[in-house]
Amino acid sequence: MTQATLAQTVASMLLDVKAVRLSPDKPFKWASGWNSPIYCDNRITLSHAKVRTAIRDGLAAAVKAYWPDVDIIAGVATAGIAQGALVADFLDLPFCYVRPEPKKHGMGNQIEGEIKAGQKVVLVEDLVSTGGSSLKAAEALREAGANVLGMVAIFTYGFNIASQNFAEKGLKFYTLSDYETLLEEAKKKNYVTESQMITLQEWRHDPASWSI
């Protein structure tokens, strides 16, 4: 399966199981305060065996293709934990996960699981928006002495700020599907009208100030 075909397949599945919802006429409100015509919750894919397996296989294939010498998989809490564990199990690799910040009790861990200095790590995330949570996880791993090779994720909105943030931190990433492919699949399935497509395309270019 080509990369383009995989992106189309994953986008179609996300729409079918309603992991991604498009609502250009009644926008969602993100935690950041942004108005958004799209809401993505890839945790829903875990409840659908065929979709879950297809995503696991795609993420695992990407890890092996881009970073074949990986030693350990790390999930980004919280949504990347389950996806990362599935990938690690499929590849027969160790697994850990990274919290947004150290625990305020117990051992005070930010990284849960065993990580050794010098180990080559690939992060697994469910969704890339600005890249903030992923890069915080990568920094925590680097501070622990790990060699962070890169990151794989299910979906990206394709914001320019994300690409800039990852480039500044020297972290390469790969996603199974993306916003543009999703819109193409939504159009094929008649999920959106032509006017709604225009709205959806306008949003991605300036999400911080977009409104209807």
Side-chain angles (χ1 to χ4, degrees), residues 31-51:
S32 62
W34 289 3
N35 292 306
S36 171
I38 179 173
Y39 189 79
C40 183
D41 182 4
N42 289 323
R43 295 175 181 86
I44 291 173
T45 64
L46 298 168
S47 299
H48 300 266
K50 290 183 179 180
V51 177

Side-chain angles (χ1 to χ4, degrees), residues 1 3-22 38-40 42 45 51 54-55 153-156 175-189 191:
M1 185 181 296
Q3 183 173 335
T5 301
L6 177 61
Q8 292 167 354
T9 300
V10 171
S12 180
M13 291 189 299
L14 295 179
L15 288 166
D16 288 346
V17 302
K18 295 182 172 56
V20 171
R21 295 175 181 267
L22 298 173
I38 179 173
Y39 189 79
C40 183
N42 289 323
T45 64
V51 177
I55 287 173
I154 300 171
F155 185 77
T156 178
T175 63
L176 299 186
S177 195
D178 58 81
Y179 189 71
E180 291 298 328
T181 303
L182 184 90
L183 293 189
E184 292 172 7
E185 291 303 305
K187 186 175 180 180
K188 289 179 187 176
K189 293 173 178 289
Y191 283 5

Side-chain angles (χ1 to χ4, degrees), residues 29-199:
K29 180 76 74 174
W30 283 2
S32 62
W34 289 3
N35 292 306
S36 171
I38 179 173
Y39 189 79
C40 183
D41 182 4
N42 289 323
R43 295 175 181 86
I44 291 173
T45 64
L46 298 168
S47 299
H48 300 266
K50 290 183 179 180
V51 177
R52 181 181 69 221
T53 299
I55 287 173
R56 179 205 67 186
D57 292 352
L59 292 172
V63 171
K64 295 304 290 183
Y66 291 102
W67 303 286
D69 55 344
V70 59
D71 296 318
I72 182 171
I73 300 295
V76 180
T78 58
I81 295 176
Q83 304 291 355
L86 288 167
V87 170
D89 184 64
F90 184 72
L91 296 176
D92 195 25
L93 288 171
F95 176 72
C96 67
Y97 71 85
V98 188
R99 297 175 179 275
E101 58 185 26
K103 287 172 66 176
K104 293 181 169 43
H105 58 278
M107 297 293 291
N109 293 336
Q110 184 170 5
I111 301 170
E112 298 289 3
E114 186 178 36
I115 186 78
K116 299 175 182 176
Q119 280 190 311
K120 298 172 184 177
V121 184
V122 172
L123 282 160
V124 175
E125 177 68 286
D126 76 317
L127 172 68
V128 176
S129 52
T130 64
S133 61
S134 307
L135 292 170
K136 283 178 66 176
E139 184 62 26
L141 288 164
R142 285 167 172 164
E143 288 178 357
N147 177 9
V148 183
L149 302 178
M151 189 191 80
V152 293
I154 300 171
F155 185 77
T156 178
Y157 292 117
F159 296 146
N160 289 333
I161 186 64
S163 298
Q164 293 169 9
N165 288 340
F166 277 98
E168 286 175 3
K169 297 297 182 180
L171 185 66
K172 295 180 179 180
F173 74 100
Y174 169 87
T175 63
L176 299 186
S177 195
D178 58 81
Y179 189 71
E180 291 298 328
T181 303
L182 184 90
L183 293 189
E184 292 172 7
E185 291 303 305
K187 186 175 180 180
K188 289 179 187 176
K189 293 173 178 289
N190 295 316
Y191 283 5
V192 291
T193 65
E194 288 291 342
S195 62
Q196 288 174 327
M197 278 289 291
I198 294 172
T199 298

